[in-house]
Amino acid sequence: MTGWRTIGVIGGMGPAATADFVQRIAVAAGAARDSDHPRVLVDSNPHVPDRNAARAGNGPSPGPVLAEMARGLTGLGAQILAMPCNAAHGWAGDIVAASGATFVDMIDAAVTEAVATGARTIGIIAIGATLDANLYQHRLDAAGMQVIASDRGIVQPLVTAIKAGDTSSAIRTGMAAEASRLVSAGAGAIIAACTEVPLVLSQADVAVPLVDATSALVRAVMQAAAL
Amino acid sequence: MTGWRTIGVIGGMGPAATADFVQRIAVAAGAARDSDHPRVLVDSNPHVPDRNAARAGNGPSPGPVLAEMARGLTGLGAQILAMPCNAAHGWAGDIVAASGATFVDMIDAAVTEAVATGARTIGIIAIGATLDANLYQHRLDAAGMQVIASDRGIVQPLVTAIKAGDTSSAIRTGMAAEASRLVSAGAGAIIAACTEVPLVLSQADVAVPLVDATSALVRAVMQAAAL
């Protein structure tokens, strides 16, 4: 490897999850000094229209704002684009259409790692906008996997609390309980399919393989960015 | 408060310190939901010319690259600029000259907090490029404070290790020992004047008030960005 392409991050959904993603890229670079890292351009824009509302038909599409962010990052030099928000991938087509940069798809990255676990039934911890768009369902169906979805009435309040900065043990326990419920229901692996989830849930909390979509995206991005 | 101006971050010096800064901005926003956060644009550029080499006359000035980064961030909409790297503030003038955005100076922010501790003698933990440019010395002199500088032969290897991802107990102990030495030499407060330092040193490690320049910059930026 001789260096890195410039990485653009379409972020802010939410800001803490984006900061977590950027921090993980810095670790994943495995660099001994500043100049061995990739250049990373980030647009942490918390004003992207709400994904749940848009999916439910109660608000504007995030697509045009995401496309504008992609154009801005590409204009500054981004060659590889990534978006650390699962639900927003329902509008990934707008990003791909708007920018000539390579878009590394988080759902594809996580599904690839879920298939590699060898499990046949996958539990998905996600918010409504991700589930309603069938982002994971369609790709896991195509791979011949069974899907068990999390309960949005349980997961949404937890994600809302994490977005408000609450990563207390009560929130951690609640998220771990939902993962356990999916395992009891037959899941042989779990996908943390919302970027707020790994802020409170780790492999130690789950009895089966935990595929962290954020980590999967970091790995896929570093592979795509390596020269 | 009705909202936030857009914050631009001139970063990558180093990437982990920039990720730390972005994470702290997300926490400092104290937001209950995504849309209550400021928009943050980040250029984490690890290819800014080496500050130590430039200060020693052994390499190109970082000024033109920093100015170009400032122009790029402002062009994307940044209204408040901040740079989480103390040493690079030796070229802050290039940034101010290049961009119409408000530049929030990290050295000023940290000196203000150091003065507020009431200490008359301030220990500075910094790398050579920061010390040689007298970034803190001149401003603390002007405030009538005494300065005791860290030993660059001790601090530089610790910072180099942190930049390589090493935040082990050996590095933490070494940094705490250098802080203790400054306290023994008469420092009534310590400034962590390199953004890698707070990645391993916290108030619990130091017997006198610790002014974390990164935290001081976060506070000053949030104040400047608030509408």
Side-chain angles (χ1 to χ4, degrees):
Chain A
M1 209 190 85
T2 58
W4 303 96
R5 293 181 181 84
T6 296
I7 299 166
V9 180
I10 300 167
M13 303 165 280
T18 292
D20 175 52
F21 181 70
V22 172
Q23 197 270 334
R24 295 203 219 185
I25 285 179
V27 172
R33 51 187 181 163
D34 288 0
S35 57
D36 294 336
H37 282 265
R39 186 174 188 178
V40 182
L41 302 166
V42 184
D43 185 349
S44 184
N45 182 3
H47 309 304
V48 175
D50 185 81
R51 283 68 68 197
N52 281 328
R55 188 57 61 194
N58 296 326
S61 167
V65 173
L66 297 174
E68 183 59 32
M69 292 164 73
R71 278 190 291 267
L73 291 165
T74 309
L76 270 195
Q79 298 161 293
I80 302 290
L81 292 176
M83 179 164 65
C85 172
N86 290 267
H89 277 69
W91 295 270
D94 294 271
I95 294 168
V96 172
S99 161
T102 300
F103 180 70
V104 181
D105 190 290
M106 184 181 214
I107 316 294
D108 286 343
V111 165
T112 298
E113 295 201 359
V115 168
T117 66
R120 304 304 304 154
T121 302
I122 309 292
I124 306 290
I125 302 182
I127 63 168
T130 302
L131 299 174
D132 289 341
N134 291 305
L135 295 176
Y136 281 93
Q137 183 81 49
H138 286 163
R139 272 168 264 205
L140 288 166
D141 280 351
M145 324 281 278
Q146 299 295 312
V147 174
I148 308 175
S150 58
D151 183 330
R152 64 190 72 193
I154 291 173
V155 171
Q156 186 61 56
L158 295 170
V159 168
T160 299
I162 298 165
K163 281 181 181 285
D166 184 358
T167 56
S168 65
S169 64
I171 302 299
R172 292 175 184 274
T173 303
M175 197 67 84
E178 181 61 5
S180 294
R181 192 183 68 78
L182 296 175
V183 173
S184 298
I190 300 282
I191 301 179
C194 170
T195 51
E196 273 74 28
V197 174
L199 302 182
V200 300
L201 188 75
S202 62
Q203 180 63 68
D205 303 311
V206 186
V208 299
L210 176 68
V211 174
D212 173 353
T214 309
S215 289
L217 181 59
V218 169
R219 282 186 277 268
V221 162
M222 300 315 275
Q223 192 167 24
L227 284 171
Chain B
M1 207 189 89
T2 58
W4 303 97
R5 293 181 181 85
T6 296
I7 299 166
V9 180
I10 300 168
M13 304 165 276
T18 291
D20 175 50
F21 180 71
V22 172
Q23 198 270 334
R24 294 203 219 186
I25 286 180
V27 172
R33 51 188 182 163
D34 288 0
S35 56
D36 295 336
H37 282 266
R39 186 175 187 175
V40 182
L41 302 165
V42 184
D43 185 349
S44 184
N45 183 3
H47 308 304
V48 175
D50 185 82
R51 283 69 68 196
N52 281 328
R55 188 58 59 195
N58 296 326
S61 166
V65 173
L66 297 174
E68 183 60 31
M69 291 164 74
R71 277 192 291 268
L73 291 166
T74 307
L76 270 195
Q79 297 161 293
I80 302 289
L81 292 177
M83 179 164 64
C85 173
N86 290 267
H89 278 69
W91 294 271
D94 294 271
I95 294 169
V96 172
S99 161
T102 301
F103 180 70
V104 181
D105 190 289
M106 186 181 211
I107 317 295
D108 286 343
V111 165
T112 298
E113 295 201 359
V115 169
T117 66
R120 304 305 305 157
T121 302
I122 309 291
I124 306 289
I125 303 182
I127 63 168
T130 302
L131 299 175
D132 290 340
N134 291 306
L135 294 176
Y136 280 93
Q137 182 81 48
H138 285 163
R139 272 168 266 204
L140 288 166
D141 280 352
M145 323 282 278
Q146 299 295 314
V147 174
I148 307 176
S150 58
D151 183 331
R152 64 190 72 194
I154 291 172
V155 172
Q156 187 61 56
L158 294 170
V159 168
T160 299
I162 298 165
K163 281 181 181 283
D166 184 356
T167 55
S168 65
S169 64
I171 302 299
R172 292 175 185 274
T173 302
M175 197 67 83
E178 180 61 3
S180 294
R181 191 183 69 76
L182 296 175
V183 174
S184 298
I190 300 282
I191 300 178
C194 169
T195 50
E196 272 76 28
V197 173
L199 302 182
V200 299
L201 188 75
S202 62
Q203 180 63 68
D205 303 313
V206 185
V208 299
L210 176 68
V211 174
D212 173 352
T214 308
S215 289
L217 181 60
V218 168
R219 282 186 278 268
V221 162
M222 299 316 273
Q223 193 166 25
L227 285 172

